[in-house]
C-alpha cells in the first residue's frame, strides 16, 4: 500500500507539472521573438521558467544594473522608463523584456516598472544558455535581435 501511495503522489505531481508547463508554453508561444521556435525548445524553456508576481509601482529592473534574467509577461502591464523616470512605452501580456542584458552580458538599458499587478515568468541566464545549446540557429537569431535592440548593429 505504501508504494501505491508514493506512485499516486508521483502521478499527481507529474500532472501538475504538465499543466503548469502547458500554461508556460502558451505564454512563450505568444512572445514575438520566439515565433517559429521549435516545440522542443519551447517545452525545455517552459521547464526553466520561474513564476513571479509584482505589485503596482514595483521596479522590476533598474537601468544600469547587470542583467542576469529576462521576463515574460503572463498577465498585466509594465512601463519602460527613461532616465528621468517618465514612461516611454508599455508592454503587456505576451511581451518580454530584459533580453538585451541577458543575451549580451551588458548593463540594463532601461528601468521597467509594473503598472498594475503583474504575473511574470523569469528566465535566468544559465537556464537560457542551457536551453539554447541544442538550437544554434535560434541562438544566432535571438542574439542578432538583442544586438539591434541595444543599438549595436
Amino acid at each position: 500500500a505504501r508504494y501505491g501511495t508514493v506512485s499516486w503522489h508521483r502521478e499527481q505531481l507529474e500532472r501538475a507539472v504538465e499543466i503548469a508547463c502547458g500554461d508556460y508554453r502558451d505564454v512563450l508561444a505568444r512572445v514575438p521573438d520566439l515565433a517559429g521556435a521549435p516545440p522542443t525548445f519551447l517545452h525545455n524553456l517552459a521547464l526553466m521558467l520561474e513564476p513571479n508576481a509584482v505589485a503596482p509601482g514595483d521596479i522590476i529592473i533598474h537601468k544600469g544594473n547587470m542583467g542576469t534574467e529576462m521576463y515574460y509577461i503572463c498577465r498585466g502591464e509594465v512601463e519602460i522608463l527613461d532616465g528621468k523616470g517618465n514612461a516611454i512605452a508599455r508592454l503587456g501580456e505576451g511581451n518580454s523584456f530584459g533580453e538585451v542584458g541577458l543575451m549580451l552580458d551588458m548593463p540594463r538599458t532601461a528601468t521597467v516598472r509594473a503598472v498594475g499587478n503583474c504575473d511574470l515568468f523569469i528566465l535566468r541566464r544559465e537556464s537560457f544558455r542551457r536551453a539554447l545549446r541544442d538550437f544554434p540557429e535560434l541562438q544566432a537569431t535571438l542574439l542578432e535581435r538583442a544586438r539591434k535592440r541595444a543599438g549595436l548593429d
Side-chain angles (χ1 to χ4, degrees):
R2 189 161 218 225
Y3 179 77
T5 302
V6 170
S7 177
W8 181 85
H9 286 296
R10 181 180 174 90
E11 288 172 13
Q12 295 300 311
L13 179 60
E14 287 173 354
R15 177 72 180 130
V17 169
E18 181 182 313
I19 290 168
C21 287
D23 292 343
Y24 291 12
R25 282 192 304 267
D26 291 345
V27 170
L28 293 174
R30 292 191 308 261
V31 175
D33 282 347
L34 298 178
T40 305
F41 174 76
L42 293 177
H43 175 77
N44 292 345
L45 207 58
L47 293 172
M48 298 172 179
L49 295 177
E50 302 169 24
N52 188 40
V54 294
D58 283 359
I59 300 294
I60 303 163
I61 61 175
H62 294 270
K63 181 177 182 173
N65 287 357
M66 287 304 293
T68 58
E69 66 277 319
M70 68 179 294
Y71 301 83
Y72 296 97
I73 304 170
C74 183
R75 280 185 272 305
E77 281 189 323
V78 300
E79 51 192 5
I80 312 302
L81 307 177
D82 65 14
K84 297 177 183 176
N86 299 314
I88 56 172
R90 279 192 178 207
L91 301 174
E93 183 176 320
N95 289 123
S96 60
F97 58 93
E99 71 284 349
V100 170
L102 179 88
M103 295 286 296
L104 303 178
D105 294 326
M106 60 184 286
R108 299 290 192 187
T109 58
T111 295
V112 178
R113 176 176 60 204
V115 174
N117 290 316
C118 290
D119 293 329
L120 307 171
F121 293 121
I122 301 171
L123 179 62
R124 308 236 178 249
R125 178 181 289 139
E126 313 81 47
S127 298
F128 193 54
R129 287 183 176 162
R130 193 169 52 249
L132 282 172
R133 203 173 28 217
D134 296 328
F135 301 94
E137 301 86 14
L138 181 59
Q139 181 175 7
T141 299
L142 294 175
L143 185 59
E144 180 183 330
R145 288 178 188 163
R147 291 181 60 77
K148 283 182 182 175
R149 285 190 185 124
L152 300 174
D153 277 348

